[in-house]
Amino acid sequence: MAEPQPRGEDEPRRGGEPKPPNRISIIVASDKLDKLFPAVTLASTAAVMGWEAELFFTMWGLSALRRGYEASEVSSDYKIHEASLLRTLASGSMPGWREMLAEGRKMGRLRVYACSTTMGMLGIGAEDLSEMVDDVVGAAYFLDRAKDSDINLFIS
Amino acid sequence: MKADVTVDARYKSCPGPLLELAKAVWNSKPGQVILLLATDPGAPRDIETWASHTRHRLLAVEKDGDVFKIYVEASG
């Protein structure tokens, strides 16, 4: 019997098909700091681990993709922690969420998608979107990608 | 252990140390050794996990007071 083969990133599986990379798909439905940071932390980390990482910004999350948008608030339930979080971010001890997205896009396969329905709902045009956006997509595209993702998260 | 590049990510929180290490590895030649300095208590296990998902190699983790010294060899 053949020895089991190590399952490295590009090791061919039996049958010669390369093993597909792991993938995480995240729906980001809030533009608040306490929601954006976990989503972007996981996506950028996945990207530098060689995974595919996909972020689908929808509903209020889409605001974060507007050109020039500065996230500066936490969710209303956690307002008491807002000042200390803003101080931590200003200190530079954590990378900024845009910086994390940029690093993930540069070093790995991180994609950012904007929800087409929300764009219509909020009156956001393609020209209003940040250059970080890879494409404008709908529900069917997300479902097709999420179907084969190893991890699917909805962060709201 | 000698390192070709040192990345000082002390007092940076997750995912700062990992992203800074990944950037240094990205800019390195195969075989170069990167030393990551980190105080984030999650860093050693994070870097070990990252290495297991990539072709890069974790060489050693040392502790010097509060500082982890994490040596990684970049692969092609």
Side-chain angles (χ1 to χ4, degrees):
Chain A
M1 192 188 287
E3 288 291 310
Q5 295 297 308
R7 294 190 56 188
E9 176 84 4
D10 299 321
E11 292 290 338
R13 284 190 299 191
R14 225 169 282 252
E17 289 289 312
K19 178 178 172 284
N22 291 109
R23 187 198 296 156
I24 181 169
S25 297
I26 307 176
I27 294 180
V28 188
S30 167
D31 65 345
K32 301 296 187 236
L33 290 166
D34 50 318
K35 308 299 164 69
L36 275 177
F37 269 85
V40 172
T41 295
L42 291 174
S44 59
T45 300
V48 301
M49 280 168 63
W51 295 23
E52 290 182 336
E54 305 188 329
L55 292 163
F56 295 82
F57 285 78
T58 188
M59 297 300 291
W60 320 123
L62 191 66
S63 297
L65 297 183
R66 282 179 195 264
R67 248 177 232 285
Y69 176 86
E70 288 302 333
S72 58
E73 294 184 331
V74 299
S75 304
S76 55
D77 283 356
Y78 305 106
K79 279 286 175 194
I80 191 170
H81 302 294
E82 188 172 270
S84 70
L85 178 60
L86 289 172
R87 271 197 304 277
T88 301
L89 294 176
S91 77
S93 69
M94 281 167 72
W97 69 277
R98 282 175 200 279
E99 186 189 340
M100 287 193 267
L101 276 187
E103 298 293 354
R105 284 163 54 84
K106 187 175 99 183
M107 292 187 274
R109 285 168 284 195
L110 189 159
R111 303 258 188 288
V112 175
Y113 296 103
C115 164
S116 57
T117 302
T118 308
M119 287 175 65
M121 195 179 80
L122 299 181
I124 299 175
E127 67 282 3
D128 302 319
L129 293 175
S130 142
E131 66 287 347
M132 292 185 298
V133 177
D134 291 283
D135 212 345
V136 175
V137 300
Y141 185 78
F142 171 75
L143 290 172
D144 185 59
R145 299 299 290 171
K147 172 174 74 69
D148 297 322
S149 289
D150 301 282
I151 300 173
N152 282 293
L153 299 176
F154 185 101
I155 298 183
S156 170
Chain B
M1 193 177 297
K2 282 198 70 173
D4 300 293
V5 179
T6 299
V7 177
D8 186 356
R10 290 174 300 163
Y11 315 110
K12 301 276 178 80
S13 314
C14 166
L18 177 56
L19 292 184
E20 291 189 24
L21 172 66
K23 196 192 300 186
V25 166
W26 171 265
N27 290 320
S28 296
K29 295 185 180 69
Q32 284 194 313
V33 174
I34 293 104
L35 165 60
L36 174 72
L37 303 176
T39 48
D40 182 324
R45 185 151 295 173
D46 251 21
I47 305 308
E48 184 186 353
T49 306
W50 165 82
S52 75
H53 281 259
T54 64
R55 291 158 167 266
H56 311 300
R57 206 151 67 90
L58 176 64
L59 299 177
V61 179
E62 296 168 1
K63 192 141 194 282
D64 183 1
D66 293 337
V67 180
F68 293 106
K69 299 165 81 171
I70 303 171
Y71 293 87
V72 168
E73 184 186 290
S75 136

